[in-house]
Amino acid sequence: NVMYTSSKANQTLIGHVISSEKFVESSLQCMKYCVNMANGHCKSFNHNKKAGKCQLNNETERDGIDVLRQVEGYNHYYISKSHPIMLP
């Protein structure tokens, strides 16, 4: 079982996007794209509900040196095996 927990709202991880999806209305749908990516390459995702954008990342803010950047409308989610799922 893979679960995701949200970091701060209006933040996104920059520089690690490996795939993008359009017309994604919910964080749950974006999470499904990430979970279904081959070989577990997707470690986190950025979702913008208003724009319908889903960005799949090969890192998390915890893994990389990079920090989250404030980007209005985006929320960043990362794999968490110890926290319950929290999707807006």
Side-chain angles (χ1 to χ4, degrees):
N1 289 339
V2 176
M3 292 187 212
Y4 290 81
T5 185
S6 174
S7 65
K8 296 178 183 174
N10 294 317
Q11 295 204 6
T12 187
L13 183 65
I14 304 290
H16 295 285
V17 176
I18 53 174
S19 181
S20 296
E21 301 291 337
K22 297 180 182 177
F23 312 109
V24 180
E25 295 180 11
S26 71
S27 299
L28 183 58
Q29 186 180 2
C30 192
M31 178 185 73
K32 288 178 183 178
Y33 282 120
C34 188
V35 169
N36 292 327
M37 181 170 268
N39 301 321
H41 289 301
C42 183
K43 294 184 179 180
S44 68
F45 62 91
N46 309 313
H47 180 249
N48 185 318
K49 183 177 180 176
K50 186 175 181 181
K53 293 182 180 179
C54 172
Q55 299 173 331
L56 307 180
N57 303 311
N58 62 356
E59 294 289 342
T60 70
E61 61 144 337
R62 292 178 171 185
D63 292 341
I65 323 171
D66 302 314
V67 294
L68 295 174
R69 293 193 188 160
Q70 187 161 348
V71 179
E72 188 68 31
Y74 273 93
N75 294 313
H76 176 70
Y77 299 84
Y78 60 91
I79 292 175
S80 173
K81 296 180 180 173
S82 61
H83 298 290
I85 196 163
M86 297 172 63
L87 296 172

